[in-house]
Amino acid sequence: EPEVTQTPSHQVTQMGQEVILRCVPISNHLYFYWYRQILGQKVEFLVSFYNNEISEKSEIFDDQFSVERPDGSNFTLKIRSTKLEDSAMYFCASSQYSNQPQHFGDGTRLSIL
Amino acid sequence: AQTVTQSQPEMSVQEAETVTLSCTYDTSESDYYLFWYKQPPSRQMILVIRQEAYKQQNATENRFSVNFQKAAKSFSLKISDSQLGDAAMYFCAYRSSTSYNNNDMRFGAGTRLTVKP
């Protein structure tokens, strides 16, 4: 069964540095999402992406964050000038259409030192 | 804004027994989707079951079934014949279906399920 893949599984970065989290959505999916889960807390929506543009974003997704689909397969989340509170599990998800279930990747654990 | 509430931070069940996890939500919309996701210690997010609000029939997926009470805005998950592999964090989630621009999911705080052998 096709799946969403995320790399790396664990990223350790110094505070203030930029980090790029990578995702390969399921190939025939059109909608892409990023979520964040701070340790011990609920999963929070960050952003959704469709037709090469952001379709919706939460209040968490400020100017520090950006997303990109640089080619036909990858979907990236860039976090600039990372802060300690950016430490979390970041999940990528994709769905074929907006009304279809979202399939999640295994997540990238981001640790900011 | 839509909110999802899971009032049980932790639940436990004996292996082979049945357990029900509660979820309530708040919305003014009439059409939406509800989901239960399972998050084992590996931290993956695995879709367990899905319910469309316009369907009266409760969704069932093998040992997993839901009790969807639209008027009460309740969406509980029943796990029958619990297995050790069911031990995980379970998240209830809501997603609007009114437009493609409103497709973010709102998650509850989660219920940690322990299965006792």
Side-chain angles (χ1 to χ4, degrees):
Chain A
E1 185 177 332
E3 57 184 28
V4 176
T5 56
Q6 290 185 242
T7 55
S9 57
H10 191 188
Q11 174 77 45
V12 181
T13 300
Q14 290 288 331
M15 186 173 60
Q17 297 296 305
E18 175 183 285
V19 65
I20 296 176
L21 309 183
R22 303 181 191 281
C23 170
V24 179
I26 294 173
S27 61
N28 64 342
H29 285 190
L30 303 176
Y31 293 82
F32 315 117
Y33 315 85
W34 282 102
Y35 292 84
R36 177 182 82 176
Q37 185 182 28
I38 295 171
L39 186 63
Q41 298 186 22
K42 69 169 69 176
V43 178
E44 300 170 292
F45 169 77
L46 292 177
V47 65
S48 59
F49 192 87
Y50 169 75
N51 198 26
N52 285 319
E53 61 182 22
I54 291 173
S55 52
E56 190 165 11
K57 60 183 181 180
S58 71
E59 59 276 7
I60 302 169
F61 194 88
D62 58 20
D63 292 342
Q64 184 192 6
F65 295 88
S66 63
V67 290
E68 193 177 35
R69 190 158 162 80
D71 53 45
S73 58
N74 289 285
F75 178 53
T76 62
L77 174 69
K78 182 189 289 185
I79 309 174
R80 288 178 284 274
S81 188
T82 49
K83 306 187 288 283
L84 293 177
E85 52 266 37
D86 294 327
S87 295
M89 195 77 164
Y90 288 81
F91 290 100
C92 173
S94 71
S95 63
Q96 189 172 22
Y97 303 108
S98 63
N99 62 351
Q100 294 296 306
Q102 296 176 17
H103 295 258
F104 283 76
D106 289 349
T108 293
R109 183 182 301 278
L110 177 63
S111 300
I112 306 298
L113 304 179
Chain B
Q2 298 85 12
T3 57
V4 179
T5 302
Q6 291 179 250
S7 59
Q8 306 155 315
E10 295 183 355
M11 291 283 284
S12 67
V13 63
Q14 205 69 36
E15 194 177 4
E17 297 293 307
T18 296
V19 65
T20 299
L21 309 184
S22 305
C23 173
T24 59
Y25 56 94
D26 184 32
T27 184
S28 58
E29 298 174 331
S30 59
D31 198 15
Y32 46 87
Y33 302 93
L34 296 164
F35 306 86
W36 278 98
Y37 279 88
K38 170 185 176 182
Q39 187 181 45
S42 62
R43 304 297 298 277
Q44 298 169 280
M45 290 283 285
I46 303 165
L47 177 66
V48 175
I49 201 164
R50 171 198 187 203
Q51 175 82 42
E52 290 93 340
Y54 66 84
K55 289 186 178 178
Q56 292 185 337
Q57 187 173 4
N58 288 324
T60 298
E61 194 72 39
N62 300 317
R63 297 183 295 108
F64 299 87
S65 61
V66 298
N67 182 6
F68 174 47
Q69 302 288 327
K70 190 173 184 180
K73 296 178 183 175
S74 170
F75 182 61
S76 61
L77 174 70
K78 185 170 82 171
I79 306 174
S80 304
D81 186 25
S82 299
Q83 300 175 359
L84 295 177
D86 295 333
M89 197 77 167
Y90 285 82
F91 291 97
C92 178
Y94 169 103
R95 193 178 86 219
S96 171
S97 65
T98 52
S99 75
Y100 85 90
N101 274 333
N102 193 16
N103 52 25
D104 67 286
M105 283 208 290
R106 305 298 172 106
F107 287 84
T111 296
R112 184 173 304 282
L113 178 66
T114 303
V115 180
K116 299 177 181 177

